[in-house]
Amino acid sequence: MGMDVYGNNPISERGEYFRNNVWWWRPLWDFCEEVAPELTQGVSGHYNDGDGLDEEGAKALANILTISLANGVVDTYQTKRNEYLASLPKEECNLCGSTGIRTDNVGVEHGMDVQVLSDIEASVLGRTIGYCNGCSGLGWKESFETHYPFEKANVQEFAEFLADSGGFKIC
Ligand SMILES: [Zn+2]
């Protein structure tokens, strides 16, 4: 699933279309809401139901994003988000009961319970046998929230689209 964002009246090729999958879109739109609350208020930005901004709104949002890129606001946001993600507690792996070795029917069927680990895996995991495909044998997983990345380059790309879009619809 993803968000297809179409320019209403594009003045260039880059203003025609912007796409993020849902993992990338959510943090990007969250950021837009944070730096441009007046513009994004009332826009159904997290749903692909055709909502968006008109030409004036799209240009104003492009300007705010461009300024945020230039003055370090995006950098700070990215750093803080990465710190936040790194601070989140690890999640349990329910496939192996957080043991790192999958012994349920599927695990046994695929030989994970007796799988011989590579040297690298063995040095990380501190054992030579037993694997789980849910957690790479670690017994824990990164927080689900880490699936939602935020990067400066993505903001830049979206700002360029907005500037030339002539307004947009999120579909
Ligand atoms: Zn596991």
Side-chain angles (χ1 to χ4, degrees):
M1 183 186 158
M3 299 311 205
D4 296 299
V5 190
Y6 294 98
N8 292 341
N9 195 12
I11 58 167
S12 77
E13 200 173 316
R14 71 180 186 183
E16 287 175 7
Y17 178 66
F18 176 88
R19 185 177 202 282
N20 261 12
N21 68 34
V22 70
W23 307 108
W24 282 89
W25 177 258
R26 201 179 85 174
L28 176 63
W29 189 255
D30 281 347
F31 179 74
C32 292
E33 289 183 332
E34 174 147 329
V35 292
E38 299 84 5
L39 285 168
T40 53
Q41 191 178 41
V43 177
S44 176
H46 284 299
Y47 301 91
N48 29 14
D49 54 7
D51 206 1
L53 290 170
D54 61 11
E55 180 170 6
E56 194 184 336
K59 273 191 179 156
L61 184 55
N63 282 339
I64 289 171
L65 293 183
T66 302
I67 291 165
S68 302
L69 284 158
N71 68 7
V73 166
V74 173
D75 289 312
T76 304
Y77 189 88
Q78 182 175 323
T79 303
K80 283 198 170 155
R81 177 160 178 82
N82 287 342
E83 284 171 2
Y84 165 71
L85 291 178
S87 78
L88 292 172
K90 311 294 187 200
E91 293 181 0
E92 293 179 5
C93 178
N94 55 15
L95 294 183
C96 62
S98 296
T99 62
I101 302 172
R102 189 167 177 184
T103 57
D104 66 352
N105 289 342
V106 175
V108 170
E109 192 180 316
H110 290 86
M112 292 180 211
D113 55 331
V114 293
Q115 186 168 323
V116 177
L117 301 175
S118 71
D119 290 346
I120 293 169
E121 287 168 337
S123 73
V124 171
L125 300 174
R127 63 173 187 271
T128 55
I129 289 173
Y131 188 74
C132 168
N133 64 326
C135 60
S136 303
L138 291 166
W140 53 266
K141 296 187 289 187
E142 293 292 347
S143 166
F144 191 74
E145 188 71 16
T146 62
H147 291 293
Y148 293 97
F150 176 85
E151 270 184 23
K152 188 176 185 178
N154 196 233
V155 178
Q156 175 82 48
E157 200 189 333
F158 190 48
E160 289 172 2
F161 160 79
L162 289 169
D164 287 0
S165 66
F168 65 90
K169 284 186 174 63
I170 305 162
C171 301

